[in-house]
Amino acid sequence: MLEWKTSRPAFASLAALSLCLVVSGCRHRPVQAPAPPPPPQEQAPPSPSPPPTAERAPGPHGRVLESEVGMASWYGAPYHNARGANGQIYNENAMTAAHRTLPMGTVVRVTNLATRQSVVVTITDRGPFVPGRILDLSRAAAIKIGVLRTGTARVRIDVLRFPSSSTQQGRWCVQIGAFHRQGEANSLRDRLRREYPSANVIDFHGATGYWVRIRPDGESHRSAEQIAHSLQPTEGKAYLVRLD
């Protein structure tokens, strides 16, 4: 029987090798570290509320009653110191304006949509009688909102106050033309009188001072609208104009 003998140096080497394997195995053992908490979720800041539109924003004279957008122009001489449609002397340096349908004495805020400048004026006259325009500013009001040099501008009209004396129906007429020469206005008046006996010529001593108008029976809005519609094919542009 053979007897295996291991020398001491060999045994020591074997023991050292076993110890290294144990230690190495311990080093590769996975360690269960606690997972860090997730970062707090950032909440999106609340979206700001949209600013109120200018049409709903209250003006210095109270809330906006109604609005209109269109082209505005201005007028001065030779209308300055002449009698306006409200029966008073027009002053180009006052904060006034002309409109075809708003009651006389209506207070409106006019905003130049290009410059955002605004001015508060009172309706004291009738006009403009140019297709595509809705308002004629006084010279002073035109300066305030940057319309004097450009001549015209796209504006928004906000009605701030109606006169207490105005009624919902109002008194209306139809204007067919505004002429430089009285003879041309008289010719149109005579032609219209065959069907509309109330046709007459009004002289306001301005650049287009001879206006031909028809007053319907009762001066109602509906009657004036019917007359204007019937005149459009033959006489061109016919405007509805409020008398009060």
Side-chain angles (χ1 to χ4, degrees):
M1 180 176 181
L2 297 176
E3 182 178 354
W4 295 92
K5 292 183 180 180
T6 305
S7 62
R8 186 178 297 275
F11 179 80
S13 299
L14 181 62
L17 178 62
S18 299
L19 180 61
C20 289
L21 291 174
V22 171
V23 173
S24 176
C26 291
R27 287 179 180 175
H28 284 81
R29 183 178 298 169
V31 178
Q32 298 295 332
Q41 186 176 3
E42 295 185 1
Q43 295 183 354
S47 56
S49 301
T53 59
E55 286 78 1
R56 297 182 180 180
H61 293 263
R63 66 186 180 90
V64 174
L65 303 177
E66 62 182 60
S67 298
E68 181 182 11
V69 174
M71 295 299 295
S73 51
W74 66 275
Y75 69 123
Y79 296 96
H80 181 60
N81 287 330
R83 194 171 301 279
N86 66 344
Q88 300 176 3
I89 300 300
Y90 168 65
N91 180 3
E92 65 178 13
N93 299 311
M95 293 299 168
T96 62
H99 193 276
R100 291 194 297 271
T101 60
L102 289 174
M104 293 291 184
T106 300
V107 176
V108 302
R109 180 178 60 228
V110 185
T111 303
N112 185 335
L113 296 181
T115 65
R116 312 309 299 179
Q117 295 171 293
S118 297
V119 65
V120 175
V121 298
T122 302
I123 302 301
T124 60
D125 209 348
R126 292 302 176 208
F129 298 107
V130 177
R133 299 183 190 177
I134 63 172
L135 191 75
D136 253 347
L137 294 163
S138 67
R139 187 177 187 275
I143 293 174
K144 286 284 187 181
I145 62 172
V147 182
L148 185 70
R149 294 182 62 182
T150 59
T152 60
R154 186 170 174 81
V155 302
R156 185 184 66 250
I157 304 172
D158 295 324
V159 175
L160 305 178
R161 187 175 68 235
F162 285 113
S164 57
S165 59
S166 66
T167 62
Q168 187 176 2
Q169 292 79 19
R171 296 169 45 240
W172 298 82
C173 72
V174 180
Q175 180 167 315
I176 304 91
F179 301 94
H180 296 279
R181 300 176 180 176
Q182 186 175 7
E184 296 174 347
N186 291 341
S187 178
L188 176 60
R189 176 203 60 194
D190 295 341
R191 187 167 70 251
L192 290 173
R193 277 185 173 175
R194 301 169 187 171
E195 187 172 357
Y196 304 103
S198 65
N200 66 332
V201 175
I202 300 177
D203 181 7
F204 279 101
H205 305 287
T208 54
Y210 299 101
W211 300 357
V212 180
R213 288 181 174 178
I214 297 174
R215 293 196 178 195
D217 294 338
E219 298 178 344
S220 68
H221 182 275
R222 184 174 181 179
S223 299
E225 195 172 37
Q226 291 174 346
I227 294 174
H229 181 72
S230 65
L231 291 174
Q232 293 284 359
T234 57
E235 303 299 339
K237 182 66 176 178
Y239 299 97
L240 265 65
V241 179
R242 187 162 181 157
L243 296 172
D244 55 0

